[in-house]
Amino acid sequence: MHTVERLIVIVLFEGVDLLDVTGPPEVFSLARRETEDAAGYHVVLAAETTAPTVTAAGVRILPDVTFDELANRSIDTLVVPGAVEVDGHRRVHALVDPAVVERVGQLAPRTRRVTSVCVGAHILAASGLLDGKRATTHWSTAQQLAADHPAIEVDSDPIFIREGNVWTGAGISACLDLSLALIAEDLGEAVALRVARQLVMYLKRPGGQSQFSVPLEQVAATRRIEVLRHYILRHITEPLTVAHLADHAHVSERQLTRIFKNELGTTPHAYIESVRVERARNQLEATDATLERIATACGFGTVDTLVRAFRRRLDTTPTDYRRRFRTSSAEH
C-alpha cells in the first residue's frame, strides 16, 4: 500500500503548555499503529533553534527542526499550542509572542490545514488567520480573545470548531479530541474510533462537543461577595432567593443584583444555578446516587429542574453526562 506522508508540524516556544505539545503526537502515533503505518503521519517539533525548549511544566523538549528548515516544505497540518500566565488574583491570561506569530504567519500559507490547541487560538488570531471566523479556546481566556480580536466570533462552549481549513480547540485535554477529529477527516471514522478506544476515550463527547465547564472561579474584588459565595455553598439545598441573599448581605435586591453583575459578570440566580450544576456534575462523576437524591442534595428540588439546568448549562442530560464521565463506583 502506498503511503502518503502527512507532515505534522507542532510549533515550539518557551513557556508552551506541555500537554498541548505531547498530546497530538501520541494520537497520531496510535493512528499509524492502527493502520500499520499507512496513515503516513510524520510529526516534527519546530522552533526558532534546535536548543531545548523549556515548557510551562519545566520539562525540556528538544525540537526536531528549525522554522527556517521548513521554509521549502509543504506542511499537511500546522499545530499551534498555547501558553498562559496567571496574575496575583489567579486570573489567566494567554501569552502571545510576536516572533511566534510571525513564524506561524509564514508557515500557514504552505499548510493544508492550521490548528490551534487551547489558548494557541490567540496566536492564530494575532496572525489574522481567524478574522471573520468562528473560533474557540479555553473558557478561561475566551473573553480575552473576544476583546482583543472583535473580528472573531468567539464561542467558548465547543471542544473544537472547524472553519474551512482552520481548526481551533478548547481546553488542554481537548487536543486529544481535536486530533481524533483530524484523523477522522483523513482516514475515516472507523480508524478514529479504533484510536479513541486505545486512548480509552469517546470519539465524540455528548452535548454538542461542550467543554462541560461551569466557571465558578471568577475572582471577586470585595469581601462581601466572597461572604455571599461561601454562604451559597453552605446553604445550597435551600431556596436561596434574591430577597433572602439581599437580606443576608444587608442590601436591597437591586443592589445585590448590581453587585453580582459587577463582581462576577452574572446574576445571582445564574450564579446559584452554576454552583448547583457544578456540584451535581461532581456527584454524577463520583457516586451512584440516584438523580432524585442528587437533585435534592444540590438544591434543584426535582429531577425535572436538574435536567433543565443541565440542558441549559451543558446542552446534555444528567444521565448522558454520567454515562460518559463517571469516574467511580462509590456506594450510595
Side-chain angles (χ1 to χ4, degrees), residues 53-279:
T53 298
V54 181
T55 67
V59 176
R60 297 194 302 169
I61 297 180
L62 192 64
D64 299 301
V65 297
T66 66
F67 294 128
D68 287 336
E69 289 172 333
L70 293 170
N72 298 315
R73 299 192 63 178
S74 295
I75 300 169
D76 180 85
T77 306
L78 182 66
V79 180
V80 182
V84 300
E85 64 177 358
V86 182
D87 64 22
H89 298 289
R90 292 188 300 165
R91 289 186 292 252
V92 178
H93 303 277
L95 295 176
V96 178
D97 184 338
V100 177
V101 173
E102 182 179 0
R103 287 298 193 176
V104 168
Q106 293 169 352
L107 295 172
R110 291 182 286 103
T111 302
R112 181 173 71 90
R113 64 186 171 195
V114 179
T115 72
S116 65
V117 179
C118 198
V119 298
H122 293 257
I123 295 174
L124 295 191
S127 69
L129 292 170
L130 298 181
D131 286 352
K133 292 182 170 63
R134 179 168 164 260
T136 192
T137 185
H138 192 275
W139 60 262
S140 64
T141 67
Q143 289 185 347
Q144 177 190 350
L145 183 62
D148 292 346
H149 303 279
I152 301 172
E153 181 187 346
V154 179
D155 186 346
S156 61
D157 186 57
I159 287 176
F160 58 83
I161 290 175
R162 177 184 182 181
E163 285 275 319
N165 71 330
V166 180
W167 302 60
T168 51
I172 297 175
S173 62
C175 66
L176 306 179
D177 297 90
L178 175 60
S179 300
L180 284 171
L182 298 176
I183 290 170
E185 181 189 45
D186 296 339
L187 307 173
E189 294 277 331
V191 173
L193 180 59
R194 294 205 302 270
V195 174
R197 286 172 176 162
Q198 292 295 330
L199 291 165
V200 196
M201 290 179 60
Y202 288 86
L203 179 56
K204 291 179 180 176
R205 296 184 187 176
Q209 308 297 319
S210 171
Q211 291 187 45
F212 287 118
S213 273
V214 178
L216 302 179
E217 296 303 319
Q218 301 100 321
V219 176
T222 66
R223 182 176 178 275
R224 176 155 49 190
I225 201 71
E226 284 301 309
V227 170
L228 278 168
R229 289 170 67 175
H230 283 96
Y231 182 84
I232 290 168
L233 287 171
R234 291 196 308 270
H235 299 83
I236 197 64
T237 61
E238 300 174 14
L240 292 177
T241 63
V242 172
H244 181 73
L245 290 178
D247 184 62
H248 177 75
H250 306 293
V251 296
S252 68
E253 293 181 32
R254 179 177 294 182
Q255 187 176 358
L256 181 82
T257 300
R258 185 162 54 247
I259 289 171
F260 267 81
K261 187 67 175 178
N262 292 340
E263 293 283 344
L264 302 178
T266 188
T267 65
H269 174 77
Y271 180 77
I272 292 167
E273 183 178 78
S274 71
V275 173
R276 286 174 169 153
V277 167
E278 187 72 7
R279 179 166 291 187

Side-chain angles (χ1 to χ4, degrees), residues 290-296 300-309 318:
T290 64
L291 294 187
E292 289 80 3
R293 182 174 294 184
I294 291 174
T296 299
F300 289 108
T302 68
V303 173
D304 284 345
T305 305
L306 169 66
V307 170
R308 286 197 299 271

